[in-house]
Amino acid sequence: MVNTNVLDDVFDNFVNRINIFKDREVLRHDYIPEKLPHREDQIRLLGERVAPVLKAARCSNIFIYGKTGTGKTAVTKYVLKHLEEKSKQYGAQVKFCYINCRTTGSEYRVFAELGHNVGISIPFTGLSVEEVTARFRVKLDAAHTLFIIVLDEVDALIKEKGDAFMYELTRINENLTQSKVSIIGISNDLRLKEFLDPRVFSSLSEEELVFRPYDASELRNILLERSKISFQDDVLTDSALSICSALAAAEHGDARRALDLLRVAGEVAERQEAKNITAEHVQQAEKHIEHNRVVEALNNLTLHSKLVLLSVYHLNKASATTGEIYDVYNELCGEFGAGLLTQRRLGSLINELDSMGIVNAKVVSMGRYGRTKKIRFEIPRSLIRDVFGADVRFSNIIDYKPQTPKKHVLNNNH
DNA sequence: CGTCCACAGGAATGACGGGCGG
DNA sequence: CCGCCCGTCATTCCTGTGGACG
């Protein structure tokens, strides 16, 4: 009885509350707005580069550089969206394919994704990369079209797997007679050319485009523009707007971060049933975002990565070495009934945790007492307790089934 | 100033789940 | 169904190394 009353209140409150948002989707960073402030130049330049496509000519390969949240992806998608409309209008044969290399993960999956895009189904394993490329090429050639491939965050894939697949891609036109391919590469890392074979680099960077980070006042404009569509009038205070743009500007002018901050601040204000969004809400949002990011990362770790983290936790030191961690990890595996990995493997797991920003691993030399990694938490210890439970040792380390020790989870998402 | 620790991290190899062509 | 191929992840084996100690 009591429960339903409480719930009634919750729902009634929600409905009757003063609405802060008009359209919260607008603040998601994958939303492409009608207007991209301070990127007019880039839009025009990119537009000029891809325009030949409308007259059935292949456009140059383009390389786009810029740090995260500088609008590379947004501008590219924006331009291609309009190009698509125009190409329909003029009846030009153009196809587009957008691939995020970091989430796609491997050379094989990139080609599989390309294949899907031209309408062939490709199993998630079992074929050689060459086979997949060949099928893609045949199907593409039969399509009689210009094909623009956007490879977002290519730097991630190149650093991990090398540039052989890029070489393959840049040469694909040689084997096509009816269709042509253009590549738009997007990189977060300005030093990417150091990782590339000069031949690949030169054919890939027929044109280059650099995106500078936004400064605080530019971020402010962007936020202002979006807040007009996303929030009710007069909800966002000036101080909140300023602190949002200042915080994001301090972090290399990341517009994505600024937008997240603003959206979450709005949600915080909404939950507190405030009439408007204040600087206070923004600061709470900042903590909130960081917390969520880490919790999600922790929950998605594999069993062994979790065990490694717990080992570091139990060591309870300012910084632990690989050897120490391996000892504790060994013990934990025994208690847990899990098969243990080698120290070599553990080293890579630690590196992964490091690149995720969960731990900090630094290689240090201790003279003739060896060379090791010093590992310390980059996140508060309390968070480990929160996520893995109060009794950390025998904690609910989720979904582990001792009788069917799964080796690795198949990446079977479509 | 050479030694030598305690690992780092690259390369080769194996196990596994899976697709393909016949 | 079979024999063969593949990509991925983990293991094994290996060489490399920074700098405090003696």
Side-chain angles (χ1 to χ4, degrees), chain A residues 135-362:
Chain A
R135 290 186 194 190
F136 162 67
R137 191 162 46 214
V138 169
K139 182 77 179 185
L140 174 64
D141 213 18
H144 291 73
T145 185
L146 292 166
F147 196 54
I148 298 184
I149 302 171
V150 182
L151 297 174
D152 205 349
E153 305 193 62
V154 260
D155 48 325
L157 195 50
I158 287 169
K159 276 184 211 158
E160 207 178 316
K161 312 270 175 182
D163 59 358
F165 80 102
M166 294 298 284
Y167 184 64
E168 195 67 34
L169 261 181
T170 53
R171 286 185 19 154
I172 204 165
N173 278 326
E174 294 168 16
N175 297 308
L176 292 173
T177 53
Q178 312 299 323
S179 295
K180 288 288 167 208
V181 167
S182 303
I183 301 165
I184 300 180
I186 303 180
S187 167
N188 292 322
D189 190 340
L190 292 101
R191 301 169 300 123
L192 185 69
K193 44 182 113 174
E194 293 167 21
F195 297 90
L196 281 175
D197 186 312
R199 285 173 303 173
V200 176
F201 182 74
S202 67
S203 73
L204 209 57
S205 293
E206 292 169 341
E207 308 275 358
E208 279 186 44
L209 222 55
V210 178
F211 283 53
R212 301 258 156 251
Y214 297 108
D215 65 27
S217 78
E218 288 171 338
L219 283 172
R220 198 187 154 88
N221 285 334
I222 292 169
L223 292 182
L224 193 63
E225 203 64 45
R226 297 260 189 125
S227 65
K228 282 182 200 159
I229 344 174
S230 59
F231 293 125
Q232 302 291 349
D233 297 341
D234 303 325
V235 161
L236 183 64
T237 63
D238 207 52
S239 59
L241 185 61
S242 297
I243 195 164
C244 253
S245 27
L247 282 174
E251 214 167 308
H252 51 257
D254 188 342
R256 183 183 306 185
R257 179 159 169 69
L259 288 166
D260 280 342
L261 213 49
L262 195 60
R263 177 175 49 82
V264 176
E267 283 164 3
V268 169
E270 191 180 47
R271 234 172 291 131
Q272 296 178 2
E273 303 183 29
K275 287 196 190 64
N276 39 35
I277 304 168
T278 62
E280 175 72 15
H281 292 137
V282 176
Q283 272 155 2
Q284 288 175 27
E286 198 190 16
K287 286 183 194 145
H288 200 78
I289 287 174
E290 178 59 13
H291 185 268
N292 280 357
R293 187 187 73 81
V294 176
V295 167
E296 192 176 337
L298 290 182
N299 279 325
N300 288 331
L301 291 176
T302 60
L303 173 72
H304 284 284
S305 295
K306 285 175 183 168
L307 287 173
V308 171
L309 267 186
L310 285 184
S311 306
V312 182
Y313 179 89
H314 282 301
L315 270 167
N316 198 6
K317 285 175 151 189
S319 70
T321 66
T322 312
E324 290 169 342
I325 293 175
Y326 191 66
D327 289 343
V328 181
Y329 162 81
N330 208 326
E331 211 176 297
L332 276 176
C333 278
E335 286 179 32
F336 208 71
L340 76 162
L341 304 177
T342 54
Q343 180 156 339
R344 174 70 187 85
R345 181 66 191 137
L346 190 115
S348 327
L349 290 183
I350 291 174
N351 284 345
E352 281 172 29
L353 291 172
D354 177 54
S355 66
M356 290 164 87
I358 295 175
V359 300
N360 177 292
K362 212 170 83 184

Side-chain angles (χ1 to χ4, degrees), chain A residues 1-8:
Chain A
M1 275 326 240
V2 176
N3 280 339
T4 50
N5 284 340
V6 170
L7 206 50
D8 258 6

